[in-house]
């Protein structure tokens, strides 16, 4: 089944590991958003085979700047649906 694990560690200071499972091949998008819903970073996008994945996030935005401490939403989108998990970034 489509799954998105809670970011680890949570809260994070340096890097966070984001794990997800795709039940079948298809386009998958993994992105980090702030609590206002603005996209902060795209971590994965495009077609992927079914399986388990782990992606690291260096707590930086798409411009390479370190994100501010606070709550962030990690969103996984796939034709089988979507999943969201919360992660906290510490200073």
């Amino acid at each position: 089944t489509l799954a998105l694990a809670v970011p680890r560690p949570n809260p994070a200071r340096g890097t966070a590991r984001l794990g997800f499972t795709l039940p079948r091949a298809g386009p998958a998008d993994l992105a980090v958003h702030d609590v206002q819903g603005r996209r902060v970073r795209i971590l994965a996008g495009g077609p992927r085979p079914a399986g388990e994945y782990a992606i690291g996030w260096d707590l930086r935005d798409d411009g390479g700047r370190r994100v501010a401490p606070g709550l962030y939403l990690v969103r996984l989108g796939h034709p089988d649906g979507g999943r969201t998990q919360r992660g906290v970034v510490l200073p």
Side-chain angles (χ1 to χ4, degrees):
T1 63
L2 183 68
L4 175 61
V6 173
R8 299 211 184 266
N10 193 7
R13 286 187 193 272
T15 60
R17 181 182 176 274
L18 307 168
F20 61 97
T21 303
L22 303 179
R24 64 183 176 95
D29 297 311
L30 183 68
V32 179
H33 298 260
D34 64 18
V35 292
Q36 286 80 31
R38 295 178 296 233
R39 189 182 69 226
V40 173
R41 177 89 181 258
I42 297 174
L43 297 169
R48 289 186 179 266
E52 294 183 13
Y53 295 87
I55 294 179
W57 177 37
D58 59 3
L59 310 182
R60 296 188 179 277
D61 65 15
D62 280 334
R65 297 171 298 272
R66 174 139 167 113
V67 298
L71 177 66
Y72 291 86
L73 303 173
V74 180
R75 294 185 178 153
L76 173 64
H78 185 265
D80 287 348
R83 299 289 184 269
T84 302
Q85 291 286 357
R86 296 178 196 165
V88 174
V89 173
L90 296 176

